[in-house]
């Protein structure tokens, strides 16, 4: 656990209550008062919509209601419609697969970069860190325009490069086919996400006790064995947190998919949950149906978040 | 580990490192490079690698042509309002959870963590309906309301670390010297928190400034777009995309963000792993 604590200073720095605080424990209303503004803001902007969304998801709320007709209570019909709609299942499956593939790829590449960073000379390492920071700092929308340009059918450098390598990529339209669309999306998402993983894992790797690795080496462990039996167990808690966060984050890739769709993807074949909900609701006016789909997404997120929250709670209690 | 790498291993790692650097930095370089190139060079089948004899025409088209200034002022208003409000609210809450022990403290922290993980897409439909009901679609107030809720959990979480980092004993010492509890806090602890408040504020700024999803949902009218939405629509509306202008616009938006980010990035890694930042 020492590694986790080194990398998670915000966690460990929670104060151990000292004398005067303990005395104040039961009598004071002040801390509750201090929490009021934050709680009120969250209740207004998240709590209230959540309640409304639950209600909406049981109503027939379409375009007619948008123009003043009172919404009709339809019970579970929206959910029934969603569950029996094979298109939604396609979208869900697509979202989950995309999320898991991207998270796994990001974690592996991030770890690989971190391991390489341990081995390279200082100058190269500084260059790598500078590059990672640049990619990390880029605003999402700016990254989207550049990557769209890089993969552009006519003027994109990717096509130019592949053509010059002797492949037939002249005028290749990357976004036209769903598989290749998601390939491009994966490249972009992974490019944006690897820096965080690489930095975090590098920080964890620098905490692996040198003596342990040396001792294993003296005992005749090969490089692979040293990694698997000494290094990996030490960094496993951090790797676990990073992977969980990545899964949660990759479930919501609205900006990337939305912008790639505009740049030339076939919307119906490339929708993930976020863009699907958006197009049903804001785009199509089917608010009841969109709300039901959004409830589905919330449930999915909660399921995926649960282990992370449990882990954080454990650390909170230990601190 | 680092000092026991064989020469061959080091060479391999260095070569891989150069490749990693190129993959990371090239798109950013390519954006800046092409933003300085005239149209005929961008459309040339062979790429121009360095913008020798470049032009500022793309920047001129962006800055004088579209509605970038409207979008800029919209982004500035929403972002500044969001940062100010969430800093004040978060500061109060952070003091509460670090300087006091009370029933529900852990529950509050846990709730923050859960809220932090709620995907925007899971609620934006009903947030849209709510703001529509309030008549706040396409308004700075409306977008600020949802942004504050978006930024607040992470701001509280980060500030909590900073407040906890100032030893309570300092305040006690000040109280022994005759300060009231309030005086002790504001004369001793508060000044020490200034760097933390700045760093947290910059994080919040970056989050709100870059936010795209909610901005697309809430600001449906073209005249009310924030910068990211404007850029996305600008890219879209170009007939046979004017890449020079699009990349110039991207550069204009990206450079200040990158500079800000580099200033505060040191705290980013630890903040992220401890659940502080929304992806």
């Amino acid at each position: 656990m020492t590694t986790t604590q080194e990398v998670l200073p915000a966690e460990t720095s929670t104060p151990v209550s000292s004398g005067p605080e303990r005395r104040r424990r039961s009598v004071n209303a002040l801390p509750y008062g201090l929490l009021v503004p934050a709680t009120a803001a969250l209740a207004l902007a998240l709590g209230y919509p959540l309640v409304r969304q639950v209600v909406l998801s049981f109503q027939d709320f379409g375009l007619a209601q948008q123009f003043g007709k009172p919404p009709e209570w339809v019970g579970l019909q929206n959910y029934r419609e969603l569950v029996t709609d094979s298109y939604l299942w396609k979208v869900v499956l697509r979202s989950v697969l995309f999320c898991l593939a991207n998270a796994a790829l990001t974690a592996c590449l991030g770890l690989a970069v971190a391991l390489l960073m341990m081995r390279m000379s200082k100058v190269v390492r500084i260059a790598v860190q500078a590059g990672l920071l640049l990619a990390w700092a880029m605003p999402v929308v700016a990254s989207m325009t550049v990557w769209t340009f890089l993969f552009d059918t006519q003027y994109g450098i990717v096509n130019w490069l592949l053509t010059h390598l002797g492949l037939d990529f002249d005028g290749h339209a990357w976004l036209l086919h769903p598989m290749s669309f998601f390939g491009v999306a994966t490249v972009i998402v992974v490019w944006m996400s690897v820096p965080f993983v690489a930095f975090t894992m590098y920080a964890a790797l620098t905490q692996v006790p040198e003596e342990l690795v040396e001792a294993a080496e003296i005992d005749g462990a090969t490089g692979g064995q040293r990694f698997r039996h000494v290094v990996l167990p030490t960094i496993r808690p951090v790797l676990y947190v990073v992977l969980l966060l990545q899964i949660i984050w990759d479930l919501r890739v609205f900006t990337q998919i939305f912008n790639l769709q505009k740049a030339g993807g076939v919307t119906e074949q490339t929708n993930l949950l976020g863009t699907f909900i958006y197009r049903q609701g804001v785009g199509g006016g089917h608010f009841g149906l969109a709300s039901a789909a959004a409830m589905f997404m919330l449930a999915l997120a909660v399921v995926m978040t649960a282990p992370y929250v449990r882990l954080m709670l454990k650390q909170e209690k230990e601190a | 580990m680092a000092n026991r790498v064989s020469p061959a291993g080091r060479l391999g790692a260095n070569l891989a490192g150069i490749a990693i650097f190129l993959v990371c930095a090239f798109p950013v370089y390519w954006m800046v490079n092409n933003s300085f190139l005239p149209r005929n060079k961008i459309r040339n089948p062979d790429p121009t690698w360095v913008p020798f004899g470049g032009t500022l025409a793309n920047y001129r088209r962006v800055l004088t042509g579209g509605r970038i200034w409207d979008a800029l002022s919209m982004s500035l208003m929403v972002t500044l309002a969001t940062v100010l409000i969430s800093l004040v609210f978060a500061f109060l809450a952070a003091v509460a959870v670090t300087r006091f022990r009370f029933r529900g403290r852990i529950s509050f922290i846990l709730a923050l963590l859960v809220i932090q993980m709620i995907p925007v897409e899971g609620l934006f439909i009903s947030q849209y309906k709510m703001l529509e009901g309030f008549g706040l679609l396409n308004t700075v107030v409306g977008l600020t309301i949802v942004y504050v809720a978006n930024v607040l959990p992470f701001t509280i979480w980060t500030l909590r670390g900073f407040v906890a980092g100032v030893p309570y004993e300092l305040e006690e010492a000040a109280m022994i010297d005759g300060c009231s509890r309030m005086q002790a806090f504001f004369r001793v602890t508060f000044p020490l928190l200034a760097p933390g408040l700045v760093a947290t504020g910059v994080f919040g700024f970056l989050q709100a400034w870059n936010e795209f999803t909610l901005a697309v949902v809430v600001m449906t009218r073209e005249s009310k777009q924030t910068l990211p939405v404007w850029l996305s629509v600008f890219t879209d509306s170009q007939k046979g995309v004017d890449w020079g202008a699009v990349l110039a616009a991207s550069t204009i938006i990206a450079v200040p963000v990158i500079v800000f980010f580099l200033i505060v990035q040191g705290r980013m890694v630890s903040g992220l792993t401890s659940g502080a930042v929304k992806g």
Side-chain angles (χ1 to χ4, degrees):
Chain A
M1 281 316 277
T2 43
T3 347
T4 332
Q5 288 175 352
E6 288 294 337
V7 192
L8 309 175
E11 273 313 300
T12 50
S13 51
T14 314
V16 183
S17 64
S18 49
E21 290 174 76
R22 225 176 270 136
R23 234 184 299 129
R24 210 171 292 111
R25 185 189 278 166
S26 55
V27 280
N28 210 332
L30 185 57
Y32 296 105
L34 292 173
L35 291 181
V36 167
T39 315
L42 293 172
L44 169 70
L46 298 174
Y48 173 64
L50 180 63
V51 174
R52 255 196 97 146
Q53 181 158 296
V54 175
V55 175
L56 259 176
S57 72
F58 292 113
Q59 289 177 332
D60 178 25
F61 202 112
L63 278 181
Q65 282 71 26
Q66 197 68 351
F67 290 108
K69 196 171 166 238
E72 204 181 310
W73 195 262
V74 293
L76 286 171
Q77 195 196 308
N78 286 323
Y79 289 97
R80 213 172 298 137
E81 208 170 307
L82 279 179
V83 172
T84 51
D85 180 8
S86 63
Y87 182 65
L88 174 83
W89 288 112
K90 248 185 241 164
V91 171
V92 170
L93 191 68
R94 229 182 256 158
S95 297
V96 172
L97 282 180
F98 183 82
C99 158
L100 293 179
N102 274 269
L105 203 58
T106 306
C108 289
L109 283 176
L111 180 59
V113 170
L115 282 169
L116 284 165
M117 272 160 78
M118 298 292 293
R119 279 149 214 278
M120 51 187 70
S121 27
K122 201 174 170 204
V123 184
V124 183
R125 185 163 61 233
I126 289 171
V128 168
Q129 283 170 333
L132 289 171
L133 274 176
L134 264 186
W136 193 1
M138 271 285 270
V140 188
V141 188
S143 311
M144 289 315 298
T145 59
V146 187
W147 278 101
T148 313
F149 178 54
L150 289 169
F151 278 103
D152 187 66
T153 310
Q154 277 178 285
Y155 314 116
I157 194 140
V158 176
N159 278 350
W160 176 87
L161 190 70
L162 291 172
T163 307
H164 276 246
L165 289 174
L167 300 162
D168 180 25
F169 272 90
D170 197 26
H172 179 78
W174 286 92
L175 301 177
L176 218 50
H177 297 284
M179 274 319 274
S180 128
F181 176 96
F182 285 117
V184 173
T186 300
V187 168
I188 301 174
V189 170
V190 169
W191 180 80
M192 291 178 187
S193 324
V194 158
F196 158 64
V197 182
F199 277 115
T200 314
M201 296 319 299
Y202 179 69
L205 282 172
T206 53
Q207 303 296 320
V208 175
E210 188 104 356
E211 311 83 59
L212 272 185
V213 184
E214 263 167 33
E217 195 177 14
I218 292 166
D219 289 345
T222 64
Q225 286 171 327
R226 287 202 299 273
F227 178 73
R228 201 152 4 106
H229 298 295
V230 181
V231 178
L232 200 55
T234 336
I235 62 170
R236 189 171 288 138
V238 187
L239 189 60
Y240 185 57
V241 172
V242 164
L243 189 63
L244 275 175
L245 280 176
Q246 216 57 56
I247 289 176
I248 293 161
W249 288 338
D250 286 346
L251 193 61
R252 42 168 183 230
V253 282
F254 180 88
T255 309
Q256 293 90 333
I257 302 298
F258 187 80
N259 281 293
L260 278 181
Q261 285 181 337
K262 286 205 306 184
V266 183
T267 311
E268 208 211 301
Q269 294 171 357
T270 54
N271 266 339
L272 297 187
L273 265 171
T275 48
F276 173 73
I277 296 169
Y278 175 82
R279 288 180 204 290
Q280 283 290 326
V282 183
H286 308 295
F287 286 98
L289 205 63
S291 297
M295 293 308 295
F296 198 84
M297 174 146 190
L298 281 183
L300 202 59
V302 167
V303 170
M304 289 180 164
T305 310
Y308 173 73
V309 172
R310 209 175 310 137
L311 199 75
M312 284 294 154
L313 186 66
K314 211 173 98 196
Q315 283 178 12
E316 187 69 37
K317 285 204 170 129
E318 276 166 16
Chain B
M1 279 168 81
N3 47 9
R4 295 175 302 99
V5 180
S6 67
R10 167 137 311 170
L11 181 68
N14 282 343
L15 289 177
I18 291 165
I20 295 166
F21 170 77
L22 287 177
V23 172
C24 285
F26 182 75
V28 183
Y29 172 74
W30 205 234
M31 169 182 81
V32 179
N33 176 49
N34 279 273
S35 73
F36 289 115
L37 294 179
R39 198 169 300 189
N40 60 344
K41 287 220 170 145
I42 293 178
R43 301 201 160 185
N44 193 311
D46 280 312
T48 310
W49 300 101
V50 187
F52 288 131
T55 167
L56 289 174
N58 297 323
Y59 287 90
R60 221 170 290 134
R61 275 206 304 291
V62 171
L63 294 176
T64 56
R67 298 178 330 280
I68 189 173
W69 297 107
D70 296 339
L72 180 72
S73 66
M74 190 53 79
S75 272
L76 271 179
M77 281 191 282
V78 174
T79 308
L80 289 181
T82 304
V83 170
L84 279 179
I85 295 172
S86 50
L87 264 189
V88 173
F89 287 10
F91 173 71
L92 299 176
V95 170
V97 294
T98 45
R99 284 292 191 254
F100 298 92
R101 307 269 128 180
F102 55 94
R103 270 183 80 110
R105 180 178 160 274
I106 295 278
S107 314
F108 181 80
I109 294 170
L110 188 66
L112 284 184
L113 206 55
V114 175
I115 291 169
Q116 183 67 50
M117 293 301 152
I118 292 178
V120 189
E121 293 90 333
L123 271 182
F124 65 32
I125 285 297
S126 47
Q127 284 175 326
Y128 172 88
K129 292 300 295 175
M130 173 182 82
L131 293 178
E132 193 187 37
F134 295 167
L136 290 176
L137 282 183
N138 291 304
T139 62
V140 173
V141 177
L143 192 56
T144 305
I145 288 176
V146 286
Y147 273 11
V148 166
N150 220 16
V151 174
L152 200 52
F154 120 86
T155 315
I156 299 175
W157 195 276
T158 319
L159 270 184
R160 186 176 81 118
F162 285 115
V163 178
V166 179
Y168 184 66
E169 286 71 26
L170 283 181
E171 268 173 67
E172 280 183 316
M175 285 196 275
I176 290 168
D177 289 345
C179 282
S180 72
R181 186 172 161 80
M182 278 292 173
Q183 281 176 324
F185 185 82
F186 280 101
R187 292 205 182 158
V188 178
T189 307
F190 194 72
L192 291 172
L193 282 178
L197 282 168
V198 172
T200 316
V202 174
F203 285 152
F205 184 91
L206 290 176
Q207 259 189 293
W209 188 256
N210 288 337
E211 209 283 337
F212 179 78
T213 309
L214 284 168
V216 160
V217 171
V218 175
M219 306 307 234
T220 50
R221 208 173 297 151
E222 213 174 314
S223 57
K224 301 291 181 182
Q225 286 157 351
T226 60
L227 269 184
V229 184
W230 169 81
L231 177 62
S232 157
V233 173
F234 183 68
T235 311
D236 213 32
S237 58
Q238 301 294 307
K239 294 258 167 355
V241 185
D242 179 358
W243 282 115
V246 166
L247 294 170
S250 307
T251 309
I252 292 171
I253 291 178
V255 167
V257 170
I258 293 177
V259 170
F260 262 133
F261 185 91
L262 294 185
I263 295 171
V264 292
Q265 57 83 21
R267 307 181 197 276
M268 202 77 178
V269 175
S270 56
L272 274 161
T273 26
S274 56
V277 175
K278 242 180 184 170

